[in-house]
Amino acid sequence: MTSRQQETGHGPGARDVVRLAVVVGALGVVFGDIGTSPIYTMQTVFNPADPHPVPVSVDNVFGVASLIFWSVMIIVTVTYVLLAMRVDNQGEGGIMALITLLRRWSSSGGRTAAVLAALGIFGAALFFGDSMITPAISVLSAIEGLKIVNPDLEAAIIPVTAVIIVALFMVQRRGTAAVGRVFGPIMITWFLVIAVLGIAGITHHPDILKALSPTYALSFLAGHFGIAFFALAAIVLSVTGAEALYADMGHFGRRAITRGWLGLVLPACVLSYLGQGALILEDPANISSPFFLLAPGWARLPLVILATAATVIASQAVITGAYSVASQAAQLGYLPRLRIAHTSEATMGQIYVPWINWLLMTSVLILVFAFQTSAALAYAFGMAVTGTITITTLLFFYVARLKWGTPRWLLGIGAFLLLGVDLLFVAANLTKLVHGAWLPLLIGLTAFTIMTTWQRGREIVTAERARTEGTLPEFVEQLRETAASTATVPGTAVFLNRGKQTAPLALRANLEHNHVRHEHVVIMSIETDTVPRVPADERITVDDLGYTDDGITHVTARFGYMDNPDVPAALHTLDPAATEGQLDLDNASYFLSTIELRRGPAPTMASWRKRLFIATSYITADAAAHFDLPRDRTIIMGSHIDV
């Protein structure tokens, strides 16, 4: 292989190194949540304080271990890795990718697609609940290992957990680039350790390997349905983080995630679950903490430290996931424009959203102090997970029909089997409604209400602005007719506008009140496409608005929902021939129209939704910062609109 091949990664050896690096990166980011589930899943299933406890017996242990294994295989391996990850939006996965695909199809009149897209928004809303619960339950479960090391340390669990969570959220503004480089090796160490401990546990009771047979899961469900059904509410914890595999597909690719899952994560988790099952068979008293008790006494404190690192990584993954979902939702019009900081020049997807960060930190701390233990939080966690998984599965089958034309009978069989499993988990978690499962539903309904209210309010405001602004072609004609009474000053003015149909409020106000216009006027509209990123050569469209001699040009800049909408950078790509002369962008003035919202008498929305919409508007980020406009050359002109 030549040096040129080594530099460019074209040689077979270099390609192998790149693939390995991507897999290691995926191990450090994607699998943190699902990879730390063995800490608390088996313990929660046999928790004697559960309102529907599972008695410890040989049959029940074999049945639970088998159900965990086949739940992981059906939901994670089949639903996500083998099926859902084959559907993407230009490489991006996750429920937001499915929503954008459905929105694209629903715009052509499909009522079913529109309803499913709304259901997808609820699934995304549930993810915010997941983002609040995951750091709390993950870190708590790891720190609870202290009481196994020394019972006297139990009182320190809550304070230590709170300190770690505060520290975790405080460092978010620095980005994850530097920390991310060590995530992969830590998680590889984690999976190797839990696999070795699992094997050690299995050697004490090798018969536990029989639980890999589906007959044990089926016989447990059929013969002990009253027990097995309620156990599902805890067994679902073994698949927490499945959505992360799909959501992070755009960062690492389907192949890297599949290899990481099948090659290391799945075997390590299965061995840990089987080892814990063997430990419980050996002594039922081990249900107090089967994960940490797998380790010999001398290794438990190091295991607690390693588990804490792994759960922090799991929390980091879901926190950055919440940033991405919020950013994409804002770009697609479901949330106000949020202040977003890009924390890496090399990786576009690494962002920091301050408002979401502090909301999550406050919520996580409240959960820690309110629920006190990971077992208590488990009831809430399961509801968020099952809801998101069920909605993702439903959306996948609809998209699969439209994308591949799969026969309805085949889809029907697949949907019946997979959705049947998902709905069984949902039903089991509903039995825990009064014990904490209400929490993610409340968070999801609240987020869903905010997102749909903002979308509806935005439509109302856009329509009212269009009426107030008037049509752009008529305004251009009016400007030509009054050219003699309007002073023209040298320079370039850029007016940001919502579209090409209406005249910018700031431009109209500048002419009507100041009777002045600039030599070059650029009316710029920003469009967010339902794709992750728009290629640079497809970003800009220029329209002379019917005249090539008036110095007025309309520019449309298209961005994907994961792009940074940098307006000055987009303008610098313009061809002077298309803008009726050279624009002085280094000294250009940028004009923004700011709107004061007021609750009006029109029956556009319920009164409480109007109040919610106006209240939500207060978190809208500054437009100048959002579009990277130079602060010292940005002029803001105001108006008001009744909602």
Side-chain angles (χ1 to χ4, degrees), residues 1-11 14:
M1 183 172 58
T2 66
S3 60
R4 176 63 178 168
Q5 286 177 316
Q6 291 176 337
E7 291 171 3
T8 59
H10 291 170

Side-chain angles (χ1 to χ4, degrees), residues 116-340:
L116 288 175
L119 187 62
I121 292 299
F122 181 68
L126 281 176
F127 182 77
F128 286 115
D130 190 359
S131 303
M132 296 174 185
I133 299 171
T134 294
I137 190 173
S138 297
V139 178
L140 256 179
S141 65
I143 303 303
E144 282 171 350
L146 289 175
K147 65 184 179 183
I148 303 300
V149 175
N150 186 343
D152 294 337
L153 295 176
E154 185 171 359
I157 291 175
I158 300 298
V160 171
T161 300
V163 169
I164 291 174
I165 287 171
V166 170
L168 175 64
F169 282 97
M170 290 295 289
V171 301
Q172 291 301 312
R173 70 182 67 187
R174 300 182 181 274
T176 59
V179 183
R181 284 192 288 269
V182 300
F183 278 6
I186 289 176
M187 292 308 297
I188 289 173
T189 303
W190 166 257
F191 289 123
L192 292 175
V193 167
I194 68 172
V196 170
L197 292 177
I199 292 171
I202 292 170
T203 58
H204 293 287
H205 214 296
D207 283 355
I208 194 65
L209 292 173
K210 295 178 182 178
L212 296 176
S213 169
T215 57
Y216 285 89
L218 293 173
S219 62
F220 184 51
L221 281 171
H224 307 82
F225 186 77
I227 297 174
F229 176 72
F230 292 115
L232 291 174
I235 289 172
V236 74
L237 298 176
S238 62
V239 300
T240 59
E243 178 67 19
L245 275 67
Y246 189 24
D248 288 326
M249 187 173 67
H251 295 285
F252 301 100
R254 181 168 66 91
R255 184 173 297 178
I257 292 174
T258 301
R259 288 176 175 175
W261 170 251
L262 297 177
L264 179 60
V265 182
L266 175 61
C269 290
V270 169
L271 288 171
S272 179
Y273 288 126
L274 293 176
Q276 293 179 54
L279 197 68
I280 294 172
L281 288 174
E282 186 178 12
D283 184 356
N286 288 329
I287 62 171
S288 61
S289 186
F291 176 81
F292 287 105
L293 290 173
L294 276 174
W298 61 267
R300 287 172 188 164
L301 182 57
L303 182 60
V304 169
I305 295 171
L306 180 61
T308 302
T311 53
V312 167
I313 292 171
S315 303
Q316 178 66 59
V318 80
I319 291 168
T320 53
Y323 296 159
S324 296
V325 170
S327 172
Q328 293 171 32
Q331 292 280 58
L332 293 172
Y334 291 107
L335 285 176
R337 184 175 59 243
L338 299 170
R339 185 167 75 86
I340 297 173

Side-chain angles (χ1 to χ4, degrees), residues 331-389:
Q331 292 280 58
L332 293 172
Y334 291 107
L335 285 176
R337 184 175 59 243
L338 299 170
R339 185 167 75 86
I340 297 173
H342 291 261
T343 59
S344 172
E345 295 181 2
T347 306
M348 187 178 298
Q350 290 187 10
I351 59 174
Y352 167 66
V353 186
W355 198 88
I356 297 295
N357 186 71
W358 304 125
L359 174 65
L360 286 180
M361 187 185 80
T362 303
S363 303
V364 171
L365 289 174
I366 290 173
L367 291 177
V368 168
F369 287 109
F371 285 84
Q372 298 283 313
T373 67
S374 60
L377 268 171
Y379 308 136
F381 201 18
M383 194 71 249
V385 173
T386 54
T388 304
I389 288 173

